[in-house]
Amino acid sequence: MDKDPQNNNERLTRQQYRQQQTTGSNDGEEEQQLSRSRADQKIEQEQLISEQKMQRLRKRLNIAIISLVVAIIIVYLILFFVK
């Protein structure tokens, strides 16, 4: 008879085979969705961390610019009043 390796002990109808294939693909899709959601969460977390770092850097740069402007004004005042 059939020596096909896929026909182990019982033969499946087309409907049973399709159901088996769809349930197998659904499991794979669920795993892909979970891995996608985990990847999305990781990307969101990295974006939040990078935004926080950018905010800290902006504050530090603003402080540095303001302190340099104040230092330049002080130097000009010292040079103007000291002769």
Side-chain angles (χ1 to χ4, degrees):
M1 309 198 215
D2 286 334
K3 293 183 181 181
D4 199 14
Q6 292 178 350
N7 293 338
N8 292 337
N9 289 333
E10 69 180 59
R11 298 180 66 131
L12 299 176
T13 63
R14 288 182 184 162
Q15 185 178 10
Q16 290 171 338
Y17 179 76
R18 288 181 187 146
Q19 287 176 351
Q20 183 182 14
Q21 292 299 318
T22 56
T23 57
S25 64
N26 286 342
D27 292 339
E29 289 175 7
E30 290 175 6
E31 290 177 15
Q32 288 177 352
Q33 288 176 353
L34 287 176
S35 64
R36 286 181 191 162
S37 65
R38 289 178 187 153
D40 291 341
Q41 288 176 355
K42 185 176 181 180
I43 290 170
E44 289 176 9
Q45 184 179 14
E46 289 174 357
Q47 288 176 349
L48 288 174
I49 291 171
S50 66
E51 287 176 9
Q52 290 173 348
K53 287 181 181 180
M54 286 176 56
Q55 288 176 352
R56 280 187 276 162
L57 184 60
R58 285 180 186 158
K59 287 181 182 179
R60 288 180 183 176
L61 288 174
N62 286 338
I63 292 171
I65 290 170
I66 291 170
S67 62
L68 286 174
V69 169
V70 170
I72 290 171
I73 291 172
I74 290 172
V75 169
Y76 276 123
L77 289 175
I78 291 172
L79 291 175
F80 182 73
F81 288 114
V82 176
K83 291 185 179 185

